Structures are given as C-alpha cells and as structure tokens.
Amino acid sequence: MANKDLTFSREFEVRFSEVDIMGVVWHGAYPLYLEDAREAWGHHYGLCYDDYLKNNVFAPIVDMDIRYHHPIFYTTRPRIDITYHYSPAAKIVLDYEIHDTKDNALLTSAHTVQAFTDRQYQLILENPEFFLQWKERWGLLD
C-alpha cells in the first residue's frame, strides 16, 4: 500500500474582522482558514473543486476536529501546513497545523475527512474514476 503524504504550506494574514474584542481570532474563523488551505492545497496538487463538479460529485466534510493550542492574535503572522494522508477508501483525509512564523510555535492543529457523494447526496463507496487517476498521477496507488 502506498504511504505517501502530500504537503503544502502557506502564510496568511489575520483580518481585523476575524478577531474579538481581546484581539484574539474568534473560534468560528478557523474552519475558514482550513477551507482556504484546502483550496490552495487542491490548486497546488491539481484536485480543485471544479474537478469534483465536472465529475458530478461533491466532497462534503463528514468529520472535523480542531485543537486550539495557543491563541492567534491580530498581530500574528501565521502559516498553515496541510497534509493529505493516503487512504485506499473513497475519502480525503487532511491534517493541518497552524504555526506562528515568528517562532514556529504550534498554535492550532486540525483534522478533516471528506467523503464523496453523487449530486443527489448519496454516499459513493468506491473511489470516483477521476480521483483514482489523481491518486495514480501522484504515485499513491500500488
């Protein structure tokens, strides 16, 4: 079985609209940070949301876990690292770490799982053909 992880990193800015009165990022902003990272990761590795739609599938998040290790402040310049973990199943498993670029301190860790559904929101148990081709392109298949 393949055991290859696909990683990507990007720095981002904390917007004033994302912080509370204490200057700390509001907990509801974190899923948006994860979404932005997923989208950037997908563009980098050629697995964009357009690809799902062109192949008549959706990839909703079915599991999300966020751990807040240290607060992110308005003045923080964070970096988010995202890692895809291979699975033979028809799902996309991603881990995230948000670090402070000043001292590389771990601020947040997170995990998401996306499953595939058809356009009628019925779960797809087998890897869609375009996803198998994507896995093959990145050397993820045996």
Side-chain angles (χ1 to χ4, degrees):
M1 171 167 57
N3 189 21
K4 185 175 179 183
D5 295 335
L6 303 177
T7 61
F8 183 76
S9 297
R10 68 186 289 267
E11 292 183 12
F12 64 97
E13 291 185 19
V14 175
R15 298 180 313 164
F16 183 73
S17 62
E18 298 165 341
V19 300
D20 60 20
I21 197 164
M22 299 176 292
V24 175
V25 170
W26 173 64
H27 69 278
Y30 288 80
L32 299 175
Y33 295 158
L34 304 183
E35 179 71 29
D36 290 345
R38 264 193 314 282
E39 189 172 7
W41 174 88
H43 283 293
H44 182 77
Y45 285 104
L47 188 63
C48 301
Y49 290 126
D50 248 12
D51 297 317
Y52 305 132
L53 298 176
K54 287 177 190 171
N55 288 280
N56 293 312
V57 299
F58 299 131
I61 291 178
V62 296
D63 185 28
M64 180 185 299
D65 179 54
I66 301 174
R67 308 260 175 192
Y68 306 97
H69 303 283
H70 295 285
I72 298 177
F73 296 96
Y74 179 64
T75 57
T76 304
R77 179 67 180 179
R79 180 190 77 245
I80 189 165
D81 303 328
I82 182 171
T83 303
Y84 166 84
H85 298 288
Y86 170 80
S87 171
K91 62 183 179 179
I92 301 169
V93 179
L94 296 164
D95 284 326
Y96 312 76
E97 289 188 345
I98 299 177
H99 293 266
D100 188 335
T101 57
K102 183 172 37 176
D103 59 6
N104 207 39
L106 178 62
L107 305 172
T108 309
S109 57
H111 175 82
T112 61
V113 178
Q114 293 171 263
F116 292 103
T117 69
D118 62 22
R119 293 277 180 126
Q120 288 71 47
Y121 307 101
Q122 298 300 307
L123 186 63
I124 298 173
L125 298 176
E126 299 292 323
N127 282 287
E129 184 60 34
F130 83 97
F131 190 55
L132 282 175
Q133 291 171 359
W134 178 83
K135 285 181 174 182
E136 185 173 14
R137 181 176 44 218
W138 290 101
L140 300 171
L141 299 178
D142 295 332

